[in-house]
Amino acid sequence: MEHLASIWKIVIGGEAKMSNQGIQNNFIYFYDAANNTIKKETYDIEKLKSVNEFGKQIKLKINFNNGQNNIIFFAGGSYGIDINLVGNNNIIFIGNGVRNITMQTFANSVVYIGNGTTSNGCYIRACEGKYVIIGDDCMFSSGILITTSDHHLIYDAVSKKRINIAKSVYIGDHVWLGRNVRINKGANVFSGSIVGACSVVTSKKIYSNSVYAGNPIKYIKNNIFWDRATMD
């Protein structure tokens, strides 16, 4: 269709936006909890106008960037999700109740975000065919960066071999990331943990129900738990 030859944008009820150059062969799946079914849609402008499931995705933005065979799965409602897919064969899973997360994926990469995970400002960058896996009920503050690579190449001067290989990132359930935390390639942040503000987590393990903070990050305390309640 002629209108798929150039970038286009459309607003659904003032809330959802999609942009694409050649959107064919990209798929968005929606889980219908009431009927316990999964719906699959491919998109042209006329279909996009009639997809009721977008009413559950408030302030949603998707840009396919002329890629092919990309899959996005929504397990329920979401708010403030901004998805930018670069290249082909990316997979993104957005759990029910996920809020305020921006992500960019490059070819053959995966982002999974579990139910109820929220943020005041989180940017995820999944590169080089690696995964970012985030569990349920995580609470991220603002200024959060999660990345699977250094984005530029570093080589050993003698062997000429690359030394900064990309690695996947895994974050468990019910993890609290303080303001301006950076989660670098290869990090494993286990369930129930807290990472203090302005910390940098590199290729190491942050153990469950423990507090870590600093740059470089250091162990502070274990045998803790936290909840979302405030004293305000």
Side-chain angles (χ1 to χ4, degrees):
M1 300 175 69
E2 185 176 348
H3 59 259
L4 291 174
S6 60
I7 296 176
W8 54 265
K9 294 183 179 180
I10 189 167
V11 177
I12 308 293
E15 298 293 354
K17 296 181 180 179
M18 292 190 68
S19 173
N20 196 7
Q21 287 181 309
I23 198 168
Q24 304 96 326
N25 300 322
N26 293 301
F27 301 94
I28 301 181
Y29 294 78
F30 299 94
Y31 174 61
D32 183 350
N35 299 307
N36 195 30
T37 60
I38 294 174
K39 300 178 182 179
K40 181 177 79 170
E41 298 288 349
T42 57
Y43 289 94
D44 59 31
I45 286 180
E46 294 308 313
K47 272 198 171 184
L48 187 57
K49 288 178 180 177
S50 64
V51 176
N52 294 329
E53 283 81 359
F54 270 96
K56 301 176 184 177
Q57 317 307 323
I58 307 302
K59 294 188 176 180
L60 169 67
K61 296 180 182 179
I62 302 174
N63 192 341
F64 284 100
N65 289 302
N66 215 19
Q68 301 289 311
N69 303 315
N70 295 294
I71 295 174
I72 304 171
F73 187 107
F74 290 95
S78 68
Y79 181 93
I81 302 301
D82 188 338
I83 299 172
N84 186 16
L85 300 114
V86 180
N88 306 325
N89 307 313
N90 295 288
I91 300 175
I92 293 177
F93 179 98
I94 307 295
N96 186 38
V98 174
R99 298 175 62 88
N100 296 325
I101 295 181
T102 297
M103 65 200 75
Q104 186 174 32
T105 62
F106 294 80
N108 306 303
S109 298
V110 174
V111 173
Y112 176 101
I113 305 173
N115 295 331
T117 287
T118 63
S119 164
N120 287 331
C122 175
Y123 176 61
I124 298 170
R125 190 175 169 97
C127 312
E128 300 188 53
K130 301 304 179 184
Y131 301 172
V132 174
I133 307 297
I134 300 171
D136 296 343
D137 191 37
C138 292
M139 183 174 71
F140 299 164
S141 184
S142 58
I144 306 300
L145 173 63
I146 302 171
T147 180
T148 64
S149 79
D150 299 326
H151 314 302
H152 300 284
L153 308 182
I154 303 174
Y155 293 90
D156 181 271
V158 176
S159 68
K160 306 299 190 295
K161 292 182 178 180
R162 184 183 173 192
I163 59 176
N164 65 333
I165 304 301
K167 298 177 182 178
S168 296
V169 171
Y170 300 92
I171 299 174
D173 298 332
H174 195 63
V175 170
W176 176 6
L177 302 183
R179 183 174 295 177
N180 295 327
V181 165
R182 176 170 179 141
I183 306 293
N184 284 338
K185 61 181 184 180
N188 288 267
V189 184
F190 295 155
S191 298
S193 59
I194 300 172
V195 179
C198 301
S199 298
V200 176
V201 183
T202 55
S203 296
K204 67 178 300 179
K205 295 179 180 178
I206 305 300
Y207 288 102
S208 296
N209 301 103
S210 299
V211 180
Y212 290 74
N215 181 14
I217 199 162
K218 296 180 180 179
Y219 162 79
I220 305 296
K221 182 176 175 56
N222 64 1
N223 295 322
I224 60 91
F225 67 92
W226 63 271
D227 67 34
R228 291 174 178 262
T230 69
M231 297 300 294
D232 298 336

